[in-house]
Amino acid sequence: MTGWGVGMGKRIVQITVNGDTTEFLCEPRQTLLEVLRNTLELTGTKEGCSNGNCGACTVLMNGLPVVSCLVLAVEAAGAEVRTIEGVARGSHLDEVQSAFLEGAALQCGICTPGFIMQAEALLARNPQPTEEEIRFYLAGNLCRCTGYDKIVRAVQRAAQLRQAAQQNGRS
Amino acid sequence: MAPDVKQRKYQVIGTRPVRHDGVDKVTGRAKYGADQRLAGMLEGAILRSPHAHARIRRIDTTQAQAMPGVRAIVTAADFPEQGDRIVELGEGMANMRHLSANVMAREKVLYKGHAVAAVAADNVHIAQAAAQRIHVEYEVLPAVTDVRAAMREDSLILNEEIRTQAFGSAPASPDAKPTNIAKHFVFELGDLAQGFGSAEVVIEREFDTSTVHQGYIEPHNATVSWNADDRVTVWMSTQGSFTARQQTAELLQIPVSHVKVVPMEIGGGFGGKISVYLPPVAALLSKKTGRPVRLVMSRADVFQGTGPTPGSHMRVKLGVKRDGTIVAGDAWIAFEAGAYTGSPIGPACMCVFSCYNVPNARVEGFDVCVNKPRTSAYRAPGSTHVAFAIETVVDEICSQIGMDPLTFRLKNAAREGIRRVDGPVYGRVGLEETLAAIQASEHYRTPLPGKYQGRGVASGFWFNVGLKSSVSATVNFDGTVTLVEGSTDIGGTRTSIAMQLAETLGIAVEDVTPTVVDTDSVGYTDVTGGSRVTFATGIAAVEAAKDIQRQLVQRAALLWNVDPSAVRYEAGSVWGPQQQCLRFKELAAELPTTGGPIIGRGTSSEATQGGAFATHCVDVEVDPDLAKVTILRYTAAQDVGTAIHPSYVEGQLQGGVVQGIGWALNEEYSYDDQGAMRNPTFLDYRMPTCYDVPMIDTILVEVPDPQHPYGVRGVGEVPICPPPAAIANAIYQAVGVRMRHLPMSPPRLWAELSKNSS
Ligand code: FES
Ligand code: FES
C-alpha cells in the first residue's frame, strides 16, 4: 500500500503570516487551518466544524476573510495571511480586541478569534457599520454562548474607538 | 433596578472588571483542549457505526494494522469488563456497563455514530484512512427511534438487561421482562380527582419536542499520556476535571489517584462536556504505543456521538376556576434517553408545575431507551421541554378565561411556603418579582399593533445545585492573592470567584490572580454545571478569604503584642485595640518576618441552592407566505440573587435565550427511517446566527439567596426554559395557531397555518 506514508508528495509553500515570510512543507490535502495550527503552531485560530459552517477558523488572506478550513494550504502560496496572533500591536490590544474584552463579548472564547478577524475585515471596508450591517457581515460566525448581543455591541464600540483614535491621530 | 445604579452595598461585587483570562482569549494565546501538543504525540481517529441498531459479529483490524504509520488499534475487547456496577460519578449514579459500552460499543451498536474501534497513527490523516480499513461485520436490526413506539410491549429491546426501575422502590427483579422503559417516576400531591372536580375550565394538550444538541463550538478532545509507571495524564476540555478523572479511572479500572486531569480552556459545554467519551480511548491507545495520543472529534462525531438532549412526548392537563385559580394539574412525560438510561426525566417531572401553586397534582414520567445517542445534560435539563408544555397550556387558559397572562401567573405564582409536586417547600424565591418586572417593563407596556405580529410571555424554573468545591488562596508578600480553584471556567467564573474573595478581603479584584488547576493541585471540586460555580465555589472563596482574615488577625496581634480577640479585620485592614491599623498590603509585606506565608483554604458542600425563576416577553412577526418567524424584540427578567459581575450575568441570560430561540424555531435532529441523522453539520442543524436575533434585553431582579453570604443565585440555566413557550404564545397572538411541536420550523408552522385557512 502506498500513499499514506509520512512525507509522501509533500510540497514546499511560502506564505507571509502576520508579517513574517515563512516556508512550510505540506501535503496537498492539508488545509491552511491544519498547517496554521499544527505546522506553524499558531493555535489561536480555532476549529469548530472543518466544513466552513462556524467561522471559528476565520483568518484574513490578502485582506479578505476566509474560513481557513476550506482553503488548501497550497492555495495560500504567496499569500499574506493575518491570524488572531497578529492583531495586537506588540503588547497593545487593538480596538476590536479591547472592545470584546471590555464589553464582555466572550464567554467560553472559542469563537472569539474568528469573530475578531471577521470584525477586522468588516471595519476595514466599512468603518461605521450599522447594527444590521454588523449582523449581516458576522452571520457566518457562530457563537453558542453569548446570544451575540455583546458581540454586536463590541463591534459598534470598536468602530467608535477606531474613529476616535484616527481623529486623535489626525489632530 | 440595574445593580450598577442602586445604592452600593459592596465595593467589588456588582462592578464590571475585565476578566482575568480575557487578554489570552482575545489574542489567541489561551490553550484549549485541541491546542495541546506533546513531543512524540500520535493522533487518533475513531471508527463509528453506520447503523442505528446492529449486532457486531466480527471486527477485522488486520488491514488497518498493516498500514504504514499506524501504531495501535483498540476495540471494546481492550476495555475491562464492567458488569452492572453502579457508581456515583459526582453528577449522579451511572451504570458502568452502559458508560463503557457508550465509550466503545460492545456486542451491539445502539446508534449511528456509536464508537466501534479507534486507531492511533503518525498523523490524523493516516488514522482516519486506517479507521476506514477496519472491517466490521454487522447484523443490522430495525431501529427504534420513537419514544412511544419504544414503550410498546412488543417493541424491539435495546438493552436486554434493563428492567423498569420505579422511583423510590427497590430495584426491579431480574426475572421481570426486559424493556426499553428504564425508569418510571410518579409524584402526587393533594387529591387529583377532587381537584379536577372543582375545576371550571380544564385544558389538556399533547406536545412533542425533537432531539436537539448543546451545540458548543469546540468539539470534544482529549490528549492522554500513559506513563511507564501506570500514571495517566489527561489534557482535555471538560466541565468537570474531577468527574472526568473518576470516569476515566473507573472505565479503565485503575486507581483514581493514578489519573491526573489537566483541564484546558473549554469552548462551551452546556452540560454536554461532563460525560467522558475520548479519554479512556486515548489512554488505551497511549498504553499500547507508549506515546501520548490526541483525539479530537469532528463536528459530525459531536452531533452523532455526543449530547444531545432528549426528544419527548408530553401530555399536560390543567384545571382552573373561572377567577384564574389553579386547582389541579396532571402531566404525563416520556423522554428519549437515547441508547442507555439517563435522561433528565426526574427533573422534568419536578419542574413541570414548579412555577405555580398547584394544590392537587400528579406527574408521571418515563425514561425510555431509543436508538439515538445517549443523551446528556443540556442547560436546565428537562425543564425547557416541560416549560414549553405547561406555559402554552397556561396561555390557552388565559385566552379562554380572558385573563392577562402575567396577572394569572402572579395570582398562582410559586412563592415562599408553596410545596412543589415532588415535595420540597420553597424558601425565598423571586418568581413574582420577575413577573412584576416584565409587567412594568417598557416592552410589555408598548402596544404591538402590526398585522401578523404577536407578543408572548412565559416563565421558567431551575433548581440550581450546590455540591462540592475547593479553593486555596495564597497571600503574596506584595499584597496580591493567588487564587487556585478546580472549577473549569466556561464563561467568566474565574473573575466572579475572584470578586467574592476580593470583596471579603477588602482588596481590589485586580490584585487577585485566579487560576484553574489540575486534579492533583486543588481539592475535590464538582462539575461546572447546575449553575453552581459562582454560588458554591464562591462560598469556598469566601471561606478561604475568612481563613486568611483569621491568620492576618493573629499576625497583627503578634506584631502589636495584643490578644488576637482584641484584633478585628474590617474594610481591607486589621485593626488593633488602640485603633492601630495595618492595611492588607502593609501586613502582607510583614509576613516574611512574622512567621512566613499565609494560605487560606475554603471548601463548600451545599446540598441545595435557592431556585432560579425567569419570566420572558417576546414579540414576533410571522411571514404568512413563508411561515417564518422573526423575533422582533426580546426581554428576559430573572431573579439572579446578587449579580456579582452584571455583564457576565446578562451574558448568561442572553446566551440562554438565544439557545432557546434556536430550540424553538429551527434546531432538530432530522432522522431517516433507518434511524440515521440526516443533518450532522452546522449548515443543516441550524443554530441561530447573529442575523437571526435582535439585541436581548435583560432585567436583573435581585432577591438574594439567604444560603449564600452575598446572596448569589446560579443564573446560567433557567434562561433557556421560557423561550420556546413564550415564542409559541407570541405566534398564537400573531396568527392564531397553537404550536405543540418543537421546533416550530417553517414546515410545521406552514402545516398549521394551512389547516387553519382550510
Ligand atoms: S472550522 Fe472552519 S468554518 Fe468551522
Ligand atoms: S463565547 Fe463560546 S461560542 Fe462564543
Side-chain angles (χ1 to χ4, degrees):
Chain A
M1 195 174 307
T2 56
W4 305 108
V6 179
M8 295 302 291
K10 283 202 172 180
R11 311 292 158 90
I12 299 181
V13 175
Q14 193 185 69
I15 62 170
T16 304
V17 183
N18 301 328
D20 294 332
T21 303
T22 180
E23 269 180 7
F24 56 80
L25 270 180
C26 71
E27 296 175 46
R29 64 180 166 191
Q30 285 186 284
T31 63
L32 176 60
L33 174 62
E34 184 181 350
V35 167
L36 284 173
R37 288 178 51 78
N38 279 1
T39 311
L40 303 178
E41 298 192 338
L42 293 169
T43 55
T45 302
K46 299 303 178 197
E47 176 167 4
C49 71
S50 303
N51 53 12
N53 295 334
C54 76
C57 65
T58 303
V59 300
L60 303 187
M61 200 161 114
N62 300 323
L64 291 176
V66 294
V67 277
S68 60
C69 67
L70 293 189
V71 176
L72 290 173
V74 291
E75 288 181 276
E80 289 257 0
V81 173
R82 193 160 167 230
T83 70
I84 186 69
E85 288 91 346
V87 173
R89 288 179 286 263
S91 61
H92 293 285
L93 300 183
D94 94 332
E95 296 85 359
V96 180
Q97 291 172 314
S98 310
F100 269 67
L101 191 58
E102 276 156 25
L106 53 140
Q107 285 176 29
C108 79
I110 196 87
C111 68
T112 309
F115 270 100
I116 289 177
M117 298 319 291
Q118 192 73 21
E120 294 288 354
L122 168 63
L123 295 182
R125 78 195 43 205
N126 180 356
Q128 293 299 314
T130 63
E131 183 188 336
E132 167 82 8
E133 286 167 341
I134 294 171
R135 289 188 182 275
F136 185 76
Y137 204 82
L138 299 183
N141 291 69
L142 292 174
C143 173
R144 192 58 156 173
C145 300
T146 62
Y148 303 107
D149 184 300
K150 294 189 192 309
I151 291 179
V152 174
R153 289 179 202 279
V155 178
Q156 291 172 327
R157 176 83 186 128
Q160 288 168 1
L161 289 173
R162 191 160 285 179
Q163 201 186 31
Q166 274 159 5
Q167 276 163 2
N168 282 346
R170 249 182 268 131
S171 59
Chain B
M1 199 185 294
D4 303 47
V5 297
K6 73 171 177 208
Q7 218 191 343
R8 280 285 290 283
K9 193 163 151 200
Y10 301 118
Q11 295 307 308
V12 179
I13 288 171
T15 63
R16 302 175 187 243
V18 161
R19 63 196 274 176
H20 299 78
D21 53 332
V23 169
D24 280 351
K25 285 178 177 166
V26 298
T27 55
R29 269 185 219 139
K31 291 284 177 236
Y32 291 75
D35 302 337
Q36 179 64 344
R37 269 138 195 78
L38 295 169
M41 183 178 85
L42 300 171
E43 290 181 278
I46 290 186
L47 176 69
R48 294 174 181 275
S49 167
H51 308 294
H53 197 186
R55 223 174 284 286
I56 300 171
R57 286 235 186 86
R58 209 168 69 90
I59 302 178
D60 180 359
T61 60
T62 35
Q63 250 196 49
Q65 196 83 62
M67 287 170 64
V70 170
R71 303 291 173 168
I73 296 179
V74 299
T75 65
D78 296 289
F79 280 81
E81 282 277 358
Q82 296 286 347
D84 274 309
R85 292 194 302 140
I86 306 292
V87 175
E88 166 60 50
L89 293 174
E91 245 259 337
M93 301 294 199
N95 178 320
M96 288 308 298
R97 177 209 293 270
H98 294 160
L99 193 62
S100 178
N102 192 50
V103 165
M104 196 58 76
R106 215 178 257 275
E107 292 149 33
K108 268 175 115 184
V109 289
L110 292 178
Y111 53 94
K112 180 171 183 262
H114 201 156
V116 175
V119 184
D122 290 349
N123 67 48
V124 70
H125 302 287
I126 300 173
Q128 283 167 355
Q132 292 314 312
R133 280 178 164 63
I134 296 172
H135 297 290
V136 185
E137 212 181 289
Y138 292 103
E139 176 193 339
V140 179
L141 302 167
V144 184
T145 53
D146 177 77
V147 65
R148 280 178 290 172
M151 293 174 78
R152 281 202 281 270
E153 280 283 315
D154 60 350
S155 171
L156 200 64
I157 301 298
L158 274 71
N159 298 288
E160 285 296 328
E161 72 284 359
I162 287 185
R163 308 287 179 274
T164 304
Q165 169 69 46
F167 181 67
S169 316
S173 145
D175 304 335
K177 224 172 122 268
T179 170
N180 292 324
I181 303 173
K183 286 182 203 138
H184 180 206
F185 284 80
V186 180
F187 294 113
E188 282 172 313
L189 186 69
D191 182 336
L192 197 72
Q194 187 237 311
F196 276 112
S198 69
E200 290 163 344
V201 178
V202 176
I203 287 188
E204 179 172 13
R205 297 289 178 244
E206 291 196 39
F207 299 88
D208 293 281
T209 69
S210 301
T211 304
V212 297
H213 198 274
Q214 293 80 351
Y216 32 79
I217 305 299
E218 180 205 35
H220 294 256
N221 53 70
T223 305
V224 180
S225 177
W226 189 308
N227 269 9
D229 59 1
D230 286 336
R231 300 282 169 154
V232 175
T233 307
V234 181
W235 295 263
M236 68 186 298
S237 67
T238 173
Q239 288 178 244
S241 43
F242 285 86
T243 181
R245 173 179 79 163
Q246 197 187 345
Q247 292 177 59
T248 303
E250 296 281 1
L251 287 165
L252 298 169
Q253 295 192 349
I254 58 176
V256 80
S257 57
H258 286 197
V259 179
K260 173 164 91 175
V261 172
V262 184
M264 308 291 285
E265 295 302 335
I266 170 171
F270 313 108
K273 287 186 184 155
I274 297 171
S275 201
V276 302
Y277 301 93
L278 300 176
V281 181
L284 288 178
L285 289 168
S286 176
K287 187 181 186 189
K288 279 196 173 182
T289 57
R291 291 166 65 173
V293 175
R294 183 176 73 188
L295 288 172
V296 180
M297 284 194 193
S298 71
R299 181 51 53 181
D301 293 349
V302 172
F303 274 120
Q304 296 178 316
T306 77
T309 204
S312 68
H313 181 79
M314 301 172 283
R315 203 166 57 229
V316 168
K317 181 177 172 187
L318 202 62
V320 302
K321 296 271 193 205
R322 282 251 157 242
D323 71 356
T325 311
I326 297 176
V327 288
D330 190 5
W332 186 99
I333 308 160
F335 270 15
E336 296 172 354
Y340 306 100
T341 172
S343 78
I345 186 64
C349 291
M350 301 173 197
C351 286
V352 61
F353 297 127
S354 56
C355 288
Y356 301 100
N357 176 16
V358 184
N360 306 292
R362 181 173 199 277
V363 183
E364 191 171 6
F366 301 88
D367 183 40
V368 185
C369 297
V370 296
N371 291 117
K372 294 184 179 179
R374 169 178 175 265
T375 54
S376 289
Y378 179 23
R379 206 166 199 158
S383 188
T384 305
H385 302 74
V386 295
F388 174 56
I390 180 71
E391 291 299 281
T392 52
V393 166
V394 162
D395 200 68
E396 220 174 309
I397 284 187
C398 291
S399 305
Q400 198 153 331
I401 62 174
M403 198 162 176
D404 171 82
L406 292 175
T407 312
F408 178 91
R409 284 176 173 84
L410 277 166
K411 186 176 177 77
N412 294 287
R415 59 178 71 88
E416 193 165 0
I418 299 285
R419 182 179 292 281
R420 209 168 58 215
V421 64
D422 52 310
V425 175
Y426 287 117
R428 181 75 178 94
V429 292
L431 173 60
E432 290 170 295
E433 285 81 351
T434 69
L435 290 162
I438 289 292
Q439 208 166 36
S441 69
E442 193 255 333
H443 181 175
Y444 196 70
R445 301 167 81 92
T446 305
L448 183 69
K451 196 165 184 223
Y452 304 120
Q453 295 185 343
R455 175 169 296 158
V457 297
S459 297
F461 163 76
W462 185 246
F463 313 86
N464 297 343
V465 300
L467 302 178
K468 293 173 281 297
S469 286
S470 309
V471 309
S472 64
T474 307
V475 180
N476 299 312
F477 302 148
D478 66 356
T480 63
V481 176
T482 307
L483 169 65
V484 169
E485 57 180 305
S487 288
T488 55
D489 180 355
I490 306 197
T493 54
R494 278 183 184 87
T495 303
S496 67
I497 303 309
M499 288 171 78
Q500 295 178 60
L501 181 102
E503 182 74 47
T504 312
L505 287 178
I507 62 176
V509 69
E510 291 76 17
D511 286 341
V512 181
T513 307
T515 312
V516 178
V517 295
D518 65 66
T519 51
D520 283 356
S521 308
V522 66
Y524 180 88
T525 298
D526 276 308
V527 296
T528 296
S531 303
R532 63 175 291 279
V533 172
T534 300
F535 174 85
T537 310
I539 293 177
V542 171
E543 287 304 315
K546 288 188 187 153
D547 190 18
I548 289 173
Q549 286 183 4
R550 274 191 292 275
Q551 296 177 60
L552 290 175
V553 160
Q554 275 163 1
R555 286 301 164 85
L558 217 61
L559 274 173
W560 293 326
N561 200 16
V562 298
D563 192 83
S565 65
V567 180
R568 67 198 155 84
Y569 193 99
E570 203 183 294
S573 299
V574 272
W575 301 82
Q578 271 94 52
Q579 291 310 300
Q580 309 100 307
C581 171
L582 273 172
R583 286 185 297 120
F584 182 84
K585 265 198 182 9
E586 294 167 339
L587 188 48
E590 302 283 343
L591 295 184
T593 52
T594 59
I598 284 182
I599 300 176
R601 295 173 306 174
T603 60
S604 70
S605 180
E606 303 293 317
T608 58
Q609 269 193 60
F613 286 91
T615 301
H616 294 187
C617 178
V618 62
D619 296 350
V620 305
E621 180 166 303
V622 178
D623 181 323
D625 298 320
L626 300 176
K628 182 179 180 298
V629 176
T630 301
I631 307 290
L632 301 175
R633 186 169 182 186
Y634 206 107
T635 304
Q638 184 173 320
D639 172 16
V640 302
T642 300
I644 298 292
H645 190 307
S647 295
Y648 285 100
V649 172
E650 293 159 8
Q652 288 297 319
L653 270 57
Q654 292 162 337
V657 165
V658 170
Q659 279 188 319
I661 291 173
W663 194 340
L665 294 179
N666 279 304
E667 295 178 32
E668 74 180 305
Y669 277 42
S670 165
Y671 282 96
D672 69 14
D673 55 6
Q674 311 294 308
M677 183 189 187
R678 287 184 290 202
N679 57 337
T681 68
F682 277 145
L683 191 63
D684 299 316
Y685 181 91
R686 193 49 178 81
M687 307 196 315
T689 73
C690 61
Y691 200 58
D692 297 318
V693 291
M695 294 295 185
I696 308 297
D697 296 330
T698 58
I699 304 175
L700 307 185
V701 174
E702 295 188 301
V703 180
D705 180 350
Q707 293 176 78
H708 184 282
Y710 296 117
V712 168
R713 283 180 203 270
V715 298
E717 289 171 290
V718 75
I720 200 176
C721 303
I727 293 168
N729 296 339
I731 290 173
Y732 174 75
Q733 294 300 330
V735 290
V737 297
R738 288 282 176 193
M739 298 301 294
R740 302 200 181 93
H741 195 146
L742 291 182
M744 301 173 283
S745 53
R748 287 213 183 88
L749 181 51
W750 178 249
E752 291 304 315
L753 287 171
S754 316
K755 263 191 236 164
N756 232 25
S757 58
S758 60

